[in-house]
Each structure stands twice: as C-alpha cells, then as structure tokens.
Amino acid sequence: MLTSRTFLKRTRAGAVRKIVREHYLRDDISCGVAACPLCGGEQEEEAEKEEQRGAGRPCLEAQPGAAASSLCPEPHYLLPDTNLLLHQIDILEDPVIRNVIILQTVLQEVRGRSAPVYKRIKDVITNKEKHFYSFTNEHHKDTYIEQEQGENPNDRNDRAIRVAVKWYNEHLQKLPTEEKVQVILLTNDRKNKERAVEEGITAYTCEEYIKSLIANPELVDRLASLNDEGNEIETGRIIFAEHLPLSKLQQGIKSNLYLQGTFRANRDNYLEATVWVHGDGEEREIIIQGLRNLNRAVHEDIVAVELLPKNAWGAPSSVVLHDDENPNEDDVEQEEEKENSLKTSASNRMLRPTGRVVGVIKRNWRPFCGMLSKSQIKEARRHLFTPADRRIPRIRIETRQASALEGQRIIVAIDGWPRNSRYPNGHFVKNLGAAGDKETETEVLLLEHDVPHQPFSQAVLSFLPQMPWSITEQAMKHREDLRHLCVCSVDPPGCTDIDDALHCRELGNGNLEVGVHIADVSHFIRPGNALDQESAKRGTTVYLCEKRIDMVPELLSSNLCSLRSDVDRLAFSCIWELTPNAEIVKTRFTKSVINSKASLTYAEAQMKIDATNMNDDITTSLRGLNRLAKILKKRRIDNGALTLSSPEVRFHMDSETHDPIDLQTKELKETNSMVEEFMLLANISVAQKIYEEFSEHALLRKHPAPPPSNYDILVKAAKSKGLEIKIDSAKALADSLDGAESPSFPYLNTLLRILATRCMMQAVYFCSGMDTDFHHYGLASPIYTHFTSPIRRYADIIVHRLLAVAIGADCTYPDLTDKHKLAELCNNLNYRHKMAQYAQRASVAFHTQLFFKSKGVVNEEAYILFVRKNAIVVLIPKYGLEGTVFFEEKDKPKPALLYNDEIPSLSVEGTTFYTFDKVKVNIMLDASNVQHQKIRMALVEPKILGNNVPGQPTKESSNNEPEEKKKKKLGK
C-alpha cells in the first residue's frame, strides 16, 4: 500500500517549496511476539535466516515472565515513549526489565536528540536475553497516522504511540492463549498519560511502575531525578544565573556577543576552568574563574561564553584547590573566600581573556565512576557522590542502600543542575565493586578514559579466519616469497603482538639491502565488516601495567598476525638498497611471505651485537642494522630532530599475587634505538609514497610546532641555572639542549629535556586533503605517517590499504577516497590515542600506590620540576615518579609564602626554592581518602620551620646521582 507525505520547505532564497514523498505501508510487519499465529509465517522465515547468519532476531516472549508488579499483576509488555527512553535508559538497561516494545517513532526521535542513548538502546534491542522488540509502526498499515491540521510534530508522535498501544492490545486479545497479555504505556508526560487513560489505555509514569516492582526495590535508586526547574525559586536561594535559551545563544554567537567553545575544567582547581573557542583556523583560550561564572557547566560541555570587560580579566591561578570533602553546601560565602585566593596581583602581560558561562549549547554528560560520601544525617536518603575525575563536580543522589554502597566504586549519571543547588542532581546506575580492589580499579580507569573493553561480539568474531589456517594460493597472488631471508624481530620481553621484523644483507655491489617487514593485518580485516568497524572504533591497543586491551581479537594479535619465529606469516615489506653510509639508492614496497628466524628481546639482540665470538647470520644482520641506525640517527639529529626525555617505569610483579614488588625506571639499549630508526625510516618512505599516489586522501601524522609561549617555563628554568635555551626552530632548540650541560650537575640536561617534552604539542593524525601543514616538528621531517604497527593501531591499517592500492596489490573502496570520512576517522583515532595514554598513566599511578602501600615510608632525593604558588612539583629519578609537596595544610599555621613568577621561585619561611633544585622528600601512601588515594610527599631537606616531617622510621635510599638516562625519541 502506497501513501504520500507532503510538507512545505523554505529555501535559502526565501521561496516556499512543496515536497511530496512516497511512504509505503505494509500488512506483513510482525508484532514481535514469539510464534504469533496471527502474523503468519514471515516472522519465522525471517528468524530462520537470522539464525543462519548467527544473529537470531530478538523477540517478545509469548508469556512474558517480567518482574512482579503490584500495579499490574497480569502478564504484560512495556512500551515507553520518547522522553522516558531518553531519561530512563539506565532503568531499561537493567536485567530486571524485559519484554519491551520500542516503536520506530520513538527510535527516530531518540536518534535525532541523543546519539549516545540511541546507541545504548540499539545495543539493548540486539541483546536476545532482554526480549526487546523494535516495531516498525510508521510503515504498518494499521498504526501509521497522518499529522492533523494544527497538530505539532510532538503531539502527532504522542498520538502515534497511543495508536500503536491500542493496536497491540487489540491484536493480543485475538491470540489463542489462556492468559491474555496487555501492553502498558510508560510515560512521564502528564498530558500524554491523561489522554491515554481517557482512551482506555493502561498508562503509568516510570516512577509508579518501578516502585510497584516490590521484589526489586534497588531499581528505585536508578530512576533519573527529573525536578521541575520552574519550582526552583520556592525551594531555596538562587546561586546561579539562568542559562539563556538556545535561540538567544545562537543569535549572540552570530553577532559576536557570545563565543562558543568547549568547557575544560581544571583538575587542580575546582573554581577555575578554560573554554577553548574554535575560530577560523585558530583556537582561543578563555579563562573562567569563580563558582557563579562557571555557572553549572561540566567538563567537556559545549558552552556559550560572554567576555568580561578588560579590567575584570584575570591570570591563570597557581593555587591548588580541591573541593572539600564535607563542605557546608549552602555556604556560598565560603566559596567566595576561596575565589578571592585565586585573584593574584598579575602583570598585564599575564592577564588572559576572562569570561562567564551564559548558557550550555550541548551537554556532554556521561556515566561517572566514583564513591558515595555518605550523609552524616541518620536514615538520610540524599547523599553526595564524589567522582574519581576531579574535573567533575560532586553529584547529589537519592539512595536507600547508602550503607551497602559505602566503600564501593559506583557509577552515577547526572540528571540536571537546578539554579538553587550547589551541586547537580543525579541517580545511581551500577556498583562496580570494592574500592582498592585491583579488578575494580582497572574497570574504573577503563570506564573513566572511555576505553572500549567489552569482549569482542560474535558478529565480530565471525569474520576471523577458520582454524587451522594456512597460506593459500590466492593469498600468494601479488606477494613475494621472502622466506629465505634471515629476518628477525626485536621487542620488549613478553611481547606476543609482534608487528615488525627486520633483515639486513650485503649485495654484490657493496651496498646493503635492508627490509622492514610489517604484519599484513589488512589481509585479515576487510573494509566495512563488523571486525573492521570494531577495530576502527577502538582505534588502538591499550597497554596497562598488567593487562592489554586489544584492538583486534587475540587470534590475530597474538597468533596469525604476530611475526613469531619459525612460522610462515603474511607481511607488508618496505625494502631499501642503502649505501654503506646509509644513503637510500632505491625503495620498493611489496606484499610478502616471511619466516622469522628469531624473536629476540632488546637485551638478547644487544648481547648478540656485543658478543665478539658470535658471527652467525642473525648476529651479522643485527650488526649491519645497528651500524646503519647510528648513521641515520646522527643525520636526523643534525637536521634538527629533537631528542627528548620522559621518565618511564617498569614494575616487577610478584608471580602469585601479581602485586608490584619493585619499581624501576626503564633502561633503553642501543637496540631500542636501532629498531626505532628503521621504523621511522619506513614510516617516512610510506608517507611519501601514499601522498604521491593520493594527494587528497593520504592519512598522515603531523606534530605542530609549539607556540613560543609554551617554552616560557623551560626558558625561565634554564635561565635560573645560567643557561640559555633558543627556541627559534627545532634545530636551535636541539642544539641548545645539547649544549646545556653542567659538570657539577650531570642530571640537569635530562631535567631540561623532560621539561622540554612538557612544552610540546600533541602529534595528530590528519587527512592530506584537509590540511596544508604536514611538518613533523619533533622528527624534523616534512612528511610522516604510521605504517609499522597495524596490530595495535588502526591508522596503520588504513595506511596499509592506501599503500596496497598504490602498488596494485589490492583494490580501493569508496570510504578510502572520501577525505571527509577520513578526517572524521582521524578525529576518533586522535581521541582514542589520547585516552589510551591517559589510561596507561592512570594504571602506572595505581600500581605505584600499590608498591608504596607495601613498601611503607621512604626518603628519596628529588628535583623540582615546577614551582607553584603554594607548592612545588618534584621528580624522583629513582622511581620516575612525580608528586606535589604542599606547604599549606589544613589545621596547621600557614607559613609565610612569597611566589615570584618571573624567576620562577617560591620562598617558604625564608627558604627559597627554584626549578631544578635538589631536595629530599618523604614518600608515603596517603589512604585517608579511599576515593583519591595518593602518593603524599613531604619535605625532609632543606628543613623549614614548622614544616618538618615528624620523626618516623623510614627506609633511607642510597641512590647516588642518577646516571644520564638514555633519551626517548619523539614521534614513534
């Protein structure tokens, strides 16, 4: 049956166009009830096809066995409206809620209003155990309705939902079952509910229905708290200004009255934030200071900001300020006192554009992990939740299970933030487990850093090759057989996902042939299938201290794609002919088959190179590679590549408890550098090739040059030690760092390089057709990409596909040559890469806490990295550990502090501290706050009046001046 939909549309020129669209209505759409005899055989045929594909279409149970409801004891299905689905998704995801009908009308509205909720409900619908059914009511001849004259789209959709409920109830009455099943409409819309009841439909609000589930009282905690903001004035004192409506914000942004940007809360100061305004090709930073100016914005929200007059501009604060654990919620005056501490007498040069939030354009709220701060009032239901991420404000929730949740890591969602409330309102979502438990804390850090870590779905696994696997004749097409070459891999100990292998051999003309062979992951992951989509979503493998979250299933990462020794493996090879002086004579790329002759660790490879009595093929190959790598590295550094430093740590784990028993900084060997040089060379060679072939849609990686202001802290720190750092170019910076030596202070150069690393911008992926600046600042290379790690980076898979098309080894596909799609992919890859780095740091921090928990209190030598207004940030070389020593403590007399930003320095009771000064600190685990356990540092030497560490048994370390660390290269 065919009908048409007509609507009017105004063009840009102002003309009105009439648009008519055909709309097909069907009479064969199933109701979704298992084996419904009234819906004919179509449903069963469709289910059979789905079963053969390994999916199996979810459907409603014939006799729904849902949780017992005191309101509706008879068997029933639930049908939620749009707003209920948007706001109560946590309730619908609960295992107790089953047999739910989701209408097409509702799904379409949700899709337009919230992409995250839409994805969540689609995931629930595909979960067969939940028995959720998506009913296509807009194409069913009995449930489709036209919009009536004078009826707005919202009212039309509400009517469509009621029509669908009535149709279902009539349809179910005809089923030949003893016990009749009915459909209950769940809606929080008062008008919709009243009309439903008038039309004879059973309808409840979500709260009414959930409270009727007497066997599941815990579900009440998961109800979203939807307060009517119109009643705010009656319920308490107004703290915040009203947010302007979206229409006013858009007009203001258009007329440049307001600026739109991303709100970034300050981790160290809860009363300060910055808004990053994205303009035409440039980013501006606006400071927001004070509770009222922050105006209920939450980290990562898209906000509209009004600039304050220039005489009200401020400077970024150097004060470290955390929200108190048990503040008086109504004491806004106390907050104002703290705000005054942010105001510092700053020179005009330090003042930054300052503003206030006038409205929120888009909320980016997500479920937050953290802990309950139980109310002191006995039998209280309202409690504060403290998020693990200090950038998120505390959240007020209602729960009846506060005692059970105390000391647990839980997930809470924000529902709203009224003007009269110091904190936002939210609801309990899930209990993750006991705080401090290793599994629970790992889950928290993965969730907090948005790392996809659920097991691979059946749909994804279905695209893996069948085992036992072997190389077929088809796979050998367009491939070279390189199994005769003496190829070997060099990796960290315990590495199972071996991406790369190398070979080096002498040619008859006196030159050398060097090959970098990379796992051919793109052979196994074909464009567009479920495996490819999942890998693209994950973007990267995440390495935690004891766990690896793979980007691709283990069958590929640790087996079929891993270039293990003595097995045939598919590879993508980059082969050069080099002169003995490492000059490239020619480069070629080929898909290949290799058989690695050895899987070595960096230490084993180093031993072979150093052993004078070893002269086998592998050792000869390694020595050739090492000699060439040294020449390549020197040439790179001469061209201005930076050699920076970053303290990395390695934990030694107890084999039974898996707790860290030792913590050391990683020692880098010559072989680390050897492998890296050839990976860099391969990445540059591939970047040149794919850009030659695809100038508009090559996936490249760039490292922007930092703005000069980024270097202020480095330049000032060096100046305080009588050294000059030039920042005109990467070459000038590299030369300055090389010359910044102090015979009496050998570790100074490493500290300067660590500080220089902090000044750098983030390297990012981009599409060549969407940018003009390709330069990689850290590597001093005009072009660069990632080709060498496709097992753990999705960017490399795309680069492999581009290269394969360039050499005629594979065919292209539409998305590969769509620069807009590629730019979108790059944004996701940059985000995933950044979050993976943060998750890795959080894992190191947690294991460091475990280490010091067992070690007790120790005294160690440290160096000052940064000087703050009320604290110093120090680095402990022995452990590669960074921490803050505070000079102001609660309930203790405040010492006399004098902060000088120009030098920079901090005087405490007459003792002055400068960047890079050597101090001795006392390290211990402070577990007084279970939520934010932290390594606490206190000054031991030099001694300061009233700030001494009380006498206690300590383990004194005998570490002498640390050796100069091998430097870590940038850009790999």
Coordinates of all heavy atoms in Angstrom, one line a residue, residues 225-299:
S225 N 16.5 11.6 38.3 CA 15.8 12.6 39.1 C 15.4 13.8 38.2 O 16.3 14.5 37.8 CB 16.7 13.0 40.3 OG 16.8 14.3 40.4
L226 N 14.2 13.9 37.9 CA 13.7 14.9 36.9 C 12.9 16.0 37.7 O 11.7 15.9 37.8 CB 12.9 14.3 35.8 CG 13.6 13.2 35.0 CD1 12.7 12.6 34.1 CD2 14.8 13.8 34.2
N227 N 13.7 17.0 38.2 CA 13.0 18.0 39.0 C 12.4 19.1 38.1 O 13.0 19.4 37.0 CB 14.0 18.7 40.0 CG 14.4 17.7 41.1 OD1 13.7 16.7 41.3 ND2 15.5 18.0 41.7
D228 N 11.3 19.6 38.4 CA 10.8 20.7 37.6 C 11.5 22.0 38.0 O 11.4 22.5 39.1 CB 9.3 20.8 38.0 CG 8.6 21.9 37.2 OD1 9.3 22.5 36.3 OD2 7.4 22.1 37.4
E229 N 12.3 22.5 37.0 CA 13.1 23.7 37.3 C 12.3 24.9 37.5 O 12.8 25.9 38.0 CB 14.2 23.9 36.2 CG 15.2 22.7 36.2 CD 16.5 23.1 35.7 OE1 16.7 24.3 35.3 OE2 17.4 22.3 35.6
G230 N 11.0 24.9 37.2 CA 10.2 26.1 37.4 C 9.9 26.3 38.8 O 9.5 27.4 39.2
N231 N 10.1 25.3 39.7 CA 9.8 25.5 41.1 C 11.1 25.8 41.9 O 11.0 25.8 43.1 CB 9.3 24.2 41.7 CG 7.9 23.8 41.0 OD1 7.2 24.7 40.6 ND2 7.6 22.5 40.9
E232 N 12.2 26.1 41.2 CA 13.4 26.4 42.0 C 13.3 27.5 43.0 O 13.8 27.4 44.1 CB 14.5 26.8 41.0 CG 15.0 25.7 40.1 CD 15.9 26.3 39.0 OE1 16.3 27.4 39.1 OE2 16.2 25.5 38.1
I233 N 12.6 28.6 42.6 CA 12.6 29.8 43.5 C 12.0 29.5 44.8 O 12.5 29.9 45.9 CB 11.9 30.9 42.8 CG1 12.7 31.3 41.5 CG2 11.7 32.1 43.7 CD1 12.1 32.2 40.6
E234 N 11.0 28.6 44.8 CA 10.3 28.3 46.1 C 11.2 27.4 47.0 O 11.0 27.4 48.2 CB 9.0 27.5 45.8 CG 8.0 28.4 45.0 CD 6.9 27.5 44.5 OE1 6.6 26.5 45.1 OE2 6.3 27.9 43.5
T235 N 12.1 26.6 46.4 CA 12.8 25.6 47.2 C 14.2 26.1 47.7 O 14.8 25.3 48.4 CB 13.1 24.4 46.3 OG1 13.8 24.8 45.1 CG2 11.8 23.7 45.9
G236 N 14.6 27.3 47.4 CA 15.9 27.7 48.1 C 16.5 28.9 47.4 O 15.9 29.5 46.4
R237 N 17.6 29.3 47.9 CA 18.2 30.5 47.4 C 18.9 30.3 46.1 O 19.5 29.3 45.8 CB 19.3 30.8 48.5 CG 20.2 32.0 48.1 CD 21.3 32.1 49.2 NE 22.3 33.0 48.7 CZ 23.4 33.2 49.4 NH1 23.7 32.5 50.5 NH2 24.3 34.1 48.9
I238 N 18.7 31.3 45.2 CA 19.3 31.2 43.8 C 20.8 31.4 43.9 O 21.2 32.5 44.4 CB 18.6 32.2 42.9 CG1 17.1 31.9 42.8 CG2 19.3 32.1 41.5 CD1 16.7 30.6 42.2
I239 N 21.6 30.5 43.4 CA 23.0 30.6 43.4 C 23.5 31.1 42.0 O 24.4 31.9 41.9 CB 23.7 29.3 43.8 CG1 23.2 28.8 45.2 CG2 25.2 29.4 43.7 CD1 23.7 27.4 45.6
F240 N 22.9 30.5 41.0 CA 23.4 30.7 39.6 C 22.5 31.5 38.8 O 21.3 31.5 39.0 CB 23.7 29.3 38.9 CG 24.6 28.4 39.6 CD1 24.2 27.4 40.4 CD2 26.0 28.7 39.5 CE1 25.1 26.5 41.1 CE2 26.9 27.8 40.2 CZ 26.5 26.8 40.9
A241 N 23.1 32.2 37.8 CA 22.2 32.9 36.8 C 21.6 31.9 35.9 O 22.1 30.8 35.6 CB 23.1 33.9 36.0
E242 N 20.4 32.4 35.4 CA 19.7 31.5 34.5 C 20.4 31.3 33.2 O 21.0 32.2 32.7 CB 18.3 32.1 34.2 CG 17.3 31.2 33.5 CD 15.9 31.7 33.5 OE1 15.7 32.8 34.0 OE2 15.0 31.1 32.9
H243 N 20.4 30.1 32.6 CA 21.0 29.8 31.3 C 20.1 30.4 30.2 O 18.9 30.3 30.3 CB 21.2 28.3 31.0 CG 22.3 27.7 31.8 ND1 22.4 26.4 32.0 CD2 23.4 28.3 32.3 CE1 23.5 26.1 32.7 NE2 24.1 27.3 32.9
L244 N 20.7 31.2 29.3 CA 19.9 31.8 28.2 C 19.4 30.7 27.3 O 20.0 29.6 27.1 CB 20.7 32.7 27.4 CG 21.3 34.0 28.2 CD1 22.1 34.8 27.3 CD2 20.1 34.8 28.7
P245 N 18.2 30.9 26.7 CA 17.7 29.8 25.7 C 18.5 29.7 24.5 O 19.2 30.7 24.1 CB 16.3 30.4 25.4 CG 16.2 31.8 25.7 CD 17.3 32.0 26.8
L246 N 18.5 28.6 23.8 CA 19.3 28.3 22.7 C 19.2 29.3 21.6 O 20.2 29.7 20.9 CB 19.0 26.9 22.1 CG 20.1 26.2 21.2 CD1 21.4 26.1 21.9 CD2 19.6 24.9 20.8
S247 N 18.0 29.8 21.3 CA 17.7 30.8 20.2 C 18.5 32.1 20.5 O 19.2 32.6 19.6 CB 16.3 31.1 20.1 OG 15.8 31.5 21.4
K248 N 18.5 32.5 21.8 CA 19.3 33.8 22.2 C 20.8 33.5 22.0 O 21.6 34.4 21.6 CB 18.9 34.2 23.6 CG 17.7 35.0 23.7 CD 17.6 35.7 25.0 CE 16.4 36.7 25.0 NZ 16.2 37.3 26.4
L249 N 21.2 32.3 22.5 CA 22.7 32.0 22.4 C 23.1 32.0 20.9 O 24.2 32.6 20.6 CB 22.9 30.6 23.0 CG 22.7 30.5 24.5 CD1 22.9 29.0 24.9 CD2 23.5 31.4 25.3
Q250 N 22.3 31.4 20.0 CA 22.7 31.4 18.6 C 22.8 32.7 18.0 O 23.7 33.1 17.2 CB 21.8 30.5 17.9 CG 22.0 29.0 18.2 CD 20.9 28.1 17.7 OE1 19.7 28.5 17.5 NE2 21.2 26.8 17.5
Q251 N 21.8 33.6 18.4 CA 21.8 35.0 17.9 C 23.1 35.7 18.4 O 23.8 36.4 17.6 CB 20.6 35.8 18.4 CG 19.3 35.4 17.6 CD 18.1 36.1 18.3 OE1 18.2 36.8 19.2 NE2 16.9 35.7 17.9
G252 N 23.4 35.5 19.7 CA 24.5 36.2 20.3 C 25.9 35.7 19.7 O 26.8 36.5 19.5
I253 N 25.9 34.4 19.4 CA 27.2 33.9 18.8 C 27.4 34.5 17.4 O 28.4 34.8 16.9 CB 27.2 32.3 18.8 CG1 27.3 31.8 20.2 CG2 28.3 31.8 17.9 CD1 26.9 30.4 20.4
K254 N 26.2 34.6 16.6 CA 26.2 35.1 15.3 C 26.7 36.6 15.3 O 27.5 37.0 14.4 CB 24.8 35.0 14.7 CG 24.8 34.7 13.2 CD 23.4 34.4 12.8 CE 23.3 34.0 11.3 NZ 22.0 33.7 10.8
S255 N 26.2 37.3 16.3 CA 26.6 38.8 16.4 C 27.9 39.0 17.2 O 28.2 40.2 17.5 CB 25.4 39.5 17.0 OG 25.2 39.1 18.3
N256 N 28.6 37.9 17.5 CA 29.9 38.0 18.3 C 29.7 38.6 19.7 O 30.7 39.0 20.3 CB 30.9 38.8 17.5 CG 31.4 38.1 16.3 OD1 31.5 36.9 16.3 ND2 31.7 38.8 15.2
L257 N 28.5 38.6 20.2 CA 28.3 39.0 21.6 C 28.7 37.9 22.5 O 29.3 38.1 23.6 CB 26.8 39.3 21.8 CG 26.3 39.7 23.2 CD1 27.0 41.0 23.6 CD2 24.8 39.8 23.3
Y258 N 28.5 36.6 22.1 CA 29.0 35.5 22.9 C 29.9 34.6 22.0 O 29.9 34.7 20.8 CB 27.8 34.6 23.3 CG 26.7 35.3 24.0 CD1 25.4 35.1 23.6 CD2 27.0 36.2 25.0 CE1 24.3 35.8 24.3 CE2 26.0 36.8 25.7 CZ 24.6 36.7 25.3 OH 23.6 37.3 26.0
L259 N 30.7 33.8 22.7 CA 31.7 32.9 22.0 C 31.3 31.5 22.3 O 31.0 31.2 23.5 CB 33.1 33.2 22.4 CG 33.6 34.6 22.1 CD1 34.9 34.9 22.8 CD2 33.9 34.7 20.6
Q260 N 31.4 30.6 21.4 CA 31.1 29.2 21.6 C 32.4 28.4 21.7 O 33.3 28.6 21.0 CB 30.3 28.6 20.4 CG 29.9 27.1 20.6 CD 29.1 26.6 19.4 OE1 28.3 27.3 18.9 NE2 29.3 25.4 19.0
G261 N 32.4 27.5 22.7 CA 33.7 26.7 22.9 C 33.4 25.5 23.8 O 32.3 25.3 24.3
T262 N 34.5 24.7 24.0 CA 34.5 23.5 24.8 C 34.9 23.9 26.2 O 36.0 24.4 26.4 CB 35.3 22.4 24.2 OG1 35.0 22.2 22.8 CG2 35.2 21.1 25.0
F263 N 34.1 23.5 27.2 CA 34.5 23.8 28.6 C 35.4 22.8 29.2 O 35.1 21.6 29.1 CB 33.1 23.8 29.4 CG 33.3 24.2 30.8 CD1 33.2 25.5 31.2 CD2 33.4 23.2 31.8 CE1 33.3 25.9 32.6 CE2 33.6 23.6 33.2 CZ 33.5 24.9 33.5
R264 N 36.6 23.2 29.6 CA 37.5 22.3 30.2 C 37.8 22.6 31.6 O 38.4 23.7 31.9 CB 38.9 22.3 29.4 CG 38.7 22.0 27.9 CD 39.0 20.5 27.7 NE 38.5 20.1 26.4 CZ 39.2 20.3 25.2 NH1 40.3 21.0 25.2 NH2 38.7 19.9 24.1
A265 N 37.3 21.8 32.6 CA 37.5 22.1 34.0 C 39.0 21.9 34.4 O 39.7 21.1 33.7 CB 36.6 21.2 34.8
N266 N 39.4 22.6 35.4 CA 40.8 22.5 35.9 C 40.9 21.3 36.9 O 40.2 21.4 37.9 CB 41.2 23.8 36.5 CG 42.7 23.8 36.8 OD1 43.3 22.8 37.2 ND2 43.3 25.0 36.8
R267 N 41.8 20.4 36.7 CA 41.9 19.2 37.6 C 42.4 19.7 39.0 O 42.1 19.1 40.0 CB 42.9 18.2 37.0 CG 42.8 16.8 37.6 CD 43.9 16.0 37.0 NE 43.8 15.8 35.6 CZ 43.1 14.9 35.0 NH1 42.4 14.0 35.7 NH2 43.0 14.7 33.7
D268 N 43.2 20.7 39.0 CA 43.9 21.1 40.3 C 43.1 22.2 41.0 O 43.5 22.6 42.1 CB 45.3 21.6 40.0 CG 46.2 20.4 39.6 OD1 46.0 19.3 40.1 OD2 47.0 20.6 38.7
N269 N 42.1 22.8 40.3 CA 41.4 23.9 40.9 C 40.0 23.9 40.5 O 39.7 24.3 39.3 CB 42.1 25.2 40.5 CG 41.5 26.4 41.3 OD1 40.4 26.4 41.8 ND2 42.3 27.5 41.3
Y270 N 39.1 23.5 41.4 CA 37.7 23.3 41.0 C 36.9 24.6 40.8 O 35.8 24.6 40.2 CB 37.0 22.5 42.0 CG 36.6 23.2 43.3 CD1 35.3 23.7 43.6 CD2 37.5 23.4 44.3 CE1 35.0 24.3 44.7 CE2 37.2 24.1 45.5 CZ 35.9 24.5 45.7 OH 35.6 25.2 46.9
L271 N 37.5 25.8 41.1 CA 36.9 27.1 40.9 C 37.5 27.8 39.6 O 37.2 28.9 39.4 CB 37.1 28.0 42.1 CG 36.3 27.6 43.4 CD1 36.7 28.5 44.5 CD2 34.8 27.6 43.1
E272 N 38.2 27.0 38.8 CA 38.7 27.6 37.6 C 38.6 26.6 36.4 O 38.6 25.4 36.6 CB 40.2 27.9 37.8 CG 40.9 28.6 36.6 CD 42.3 29.1 36.9 OE1 42.4 30.1 37.6 OE2 43.2 28.4 36.6
A273 N 38.3 27.2 35.2 CA 38.2 26.4 34.0 C 38.7 27.2 32.8 O 38.9 28.4 32.9 CB 36.8 25.9 33.8
T274 N 38.8 26.6 31.7 CA 39.1 27.3 30.4 C 38.1 26.9 29.4 O 37.6 25.7 29.4 CB 40.5 27.0 29.9 OG1 40.7 25.6 29.9 CG2 41.6 27.6 30.8
V275 N 37.7 27.8 28.5 CA 36.9 27.4 27.4 C 37.7 27.6 26.1 O 38.3 28.7 25.9 CB 35.6 28.3 27.4 CG1 34.8 28.1 26.1 CG2 34.7 28.0 28.6
W276 N 37.8 26.5 25.4 CA 38.6 26.6 24.1 C 37.6 27.0 23.0 O 36.7 26.2 22.7 CB 39.2 25.2 23.8 CG 40.4 25.0 24.7 CD1 40.4 24.4 25.9 CD2 41.7 25.3 24.4 NE1 41.7 24.4 26.4 CE2 42.5 24.9 25.5 CE3 42.4 25.9 23.3 CZ2 43.9 25.1 25.5 CZ3 43.7 26.1 23.3 CH2 44.5 25.7 24.4
V277 N 37.8 28.1 22.4 CA 36.9 28.7 21.4 C 37.6 28.3 20.0 O 38.7 28.7 19.7 CB 36.8 30.2 21.5 CG1 35.9 30.7 20.3 CG2 36.2 30.5 22.8
H278 N 36.8 27.6 19.2 CA 37.3 27.1 17.9 C 36.9 28.2 16.8 O 35.8 28.2 16.4 CB 36.8 25.8 17.5 CG 36.9 24.8 18.7 ND1 38.1 24.3 19.0 CD2 36.0 24.3 19.5 CE1 38.0 23.4 20.1 NE2 36.7 23.4 20.4
G279 N 37.9 29.0 16.4 CA 37.6 30.0 15.4 C 38.0 29.5 14.0 O 38.2 28.4 13.8
D280 N 38.2 30.5 13.1 CA 38.6 30.2 11.8 C 40.1 29.9 11.8 O 40.9 30.8 11.7 CB 38.3 31.3 10.8 CG 36.8 31.7 10.8 OD1 36.0 30.7 10.8 OD2 36.4 32.9 10.7
G281 N 40.4 28.6 11.8 CA 41.8 28.1 11.8 C 42.6 28.4 13.0 O 43.8 28.1 13.0
E282 N 42.0 29.0 14.0 CA 42.8 29.2 15.3 C 41.9 28.9 16.5 O 40.7 28.9 16.4 CB 43.3 30.7 15.3 CG 42.2 31.7 15.3 CD 42.7 33.1 15.7 OE1 43.8 33.2 16.3 OE2 42.0 34.1 15.5
E283 N 42.6 28.6 17.6 CA 41.9 28.3 18.8 C 42.2 29.4 19.8 O 43.4 29.9 19.9 CB 42.4 27.0 19.4 CG 41.8 25.8 18.7 CD 42.0 24.5 19.5 OE1 42.9 24.5 20.4 OE2 41.3 23.5 19.3
R284 N 41.2 29.9 20.6 CA 41.4 30.9 21.6 C 41.1 30.2 22.9 O 40.2 29.4 23.0 CB 40.5 32.1 21.4 CG 40.9 32.9 20.2 CD 39.9 34.0 19.9 NE 39.7 34.9 21.0 CZ 38.7 35.8 21.1 NH1 37.8 35.8 20.2 NH2 38.7 36.6 22.2
E285 N 41.7 30.7 24.0 CA 41.5 30.2 25.3 C 40.9 31.3 26.2 O 41.5 32.4 26.3 CB 42.8 29.7 25.9 CG 42.7 28.8 27.1 CD 44.0 28.4 27.7 OE1 45.0 29.2 27.7 OE2 44.1 27.3 28.2
I286 N 39.8 31.0 26.8 CA 39.2 32.0 27.7 C 39.1 31.4 29.1 O 38.7 30.2 29.3 CB 37.7 32.4 27.2 CG1 37.8 33.1 25.9 CG2 37.0 33.2 28.3 CD1 36.5 33.2 25.2
I287 N 39.6 32.2 30.1 CA 39.6 31.7 31.5 C 38.2 32.0 32.1 O 37.6 33.0 31.9 CB 40.7 32.4 32.3 CG1 42.1 32.1 31.7 CG2 40.6 32.0 33.8 CD1 43.2 32.9 32.3
I288 N 37.7 31.0 32.9 CA 36.5 31.2 33.7 C 36.9 31.0 35.2 O 37.5 29.9 35.5 CB 35.4 30.2 33.3 CG1 35.2 30.1 31.8 CG2 34.1 30.6 34.0 CD1 34.6 31.3 31.1
Q289 N 36.7 32.0 36.0 CA 37.0 31.8 37.4 C 35.8 32.2 38.3 O 35.1 33.1 38.1 CB 38.2 32.8 37.8 CG 39.5 32.3 37.2 CD 40.7 33.2 37.5 OE1 40.5 34.4 37.7 NE2 41.9 32.7 37.6
G290 N 35.6 31.3 39.3 CA 34.6 31.6 40.3 C 33.3 30.7 40.0 O 33.0 30.5 38.9
L291 N 32.7 30.3 41.1 CA 31.5 29.4 41.0 C 30.4 29.9 40.1 O 29.9 29.3 39.3 CB 31.0 29.2 42.4 CG 30.1 28.0 42.6 CD1 30.8 26.7 42.4 CD2 29.5 28.0 44.1
R292 N 30.1 31.2 40.4 CA 28.9 31.8 39.6 C 29.3 32.0 38.1 O 28.4 31.8 37.3 CB 28.6 33.1 40.2 CG 27.8 33.0 41.6 CD 27.3 34.3 42.1 NE 26.4 34.2 43.2 CZ 26.9 34.2 44.5 NH1 28.1 34.4 44.7 NH2 26.0 34.0 45.5
N293 N 30.5 32.3 37.8 CA 30.9 32.4 36.4 C 31.0 31.1 35.7 O 30.7 31.0 34.5 CB 32.2 33.2 36.3 CG 32.1 34.6 36.6 OD1 31.0 35.2 36.6 ND2 33.2 35.3 36.9
L294 N 31.3 30.0 36.4 CA 31.3 28.7 35.9 C 29.9 28.2 35.5 O 29.7 27.4 34.6 CB 32.0 27.7 36.8 CG 33.4 27.9 37.2 CD1 33.9 27.0 38.3 CD2 34.3 27.6 36.0
N295 N 28.9 28.7 36.3 CA 27.5 28.6 36.0 C 27.0 27.2 35.6 O 26.4 27.1 34.5 CB 27.1 29.7 35.0 CG 25.6 29.9 35.0 OD1 24.8 29.3 35.9 ND2 25.1 30.7 34.2
R296 N 27.4 26.2 36.3 CA 26.8 24.9 36.2 C 27.3 24.1 34.9 O 26.7 23.1 34.5 CB 25.3 24.9 36.2 CG 24.7 25.3 37.5 CD 23.2 25.5 37.4 NE 22.9 26.7 36.6 CZ 21.7 26.9 36.0 NH1 20.8 26.0 36.1 NH2 21.5 28.0 35.4
A297 N 28.4 24.7 34.3 CA 29.0 23.9 33.1 C 29.8 22.8 33.7 O 30.4 22.9 34.8 CB 29.8 24.8 32.3
V298 N 29.8 21.7 33.0 CA 30.5 20.5 33.4 C 31.6 20.2 32.3 O 31.4 20.4 31.1 CB 29.6 19.3 33.6 CG1 30.3 18.0 33.9 CG2 28.6 19.6 34.7
H299 N 32.7 19.6 32.7 CA 33.8 19.3 31.8 C 33.4 18.7 30.5 O 32.6 17.8 30.5 CB 34.8 18.3 32.5 CG 36.0 18.0 31.8 ND1 37.0 19.0 31.5 CD2 36.5 16.8 31.3 CE1 37.9 18.4 30.8 NE2 37.7 17.1 30.6

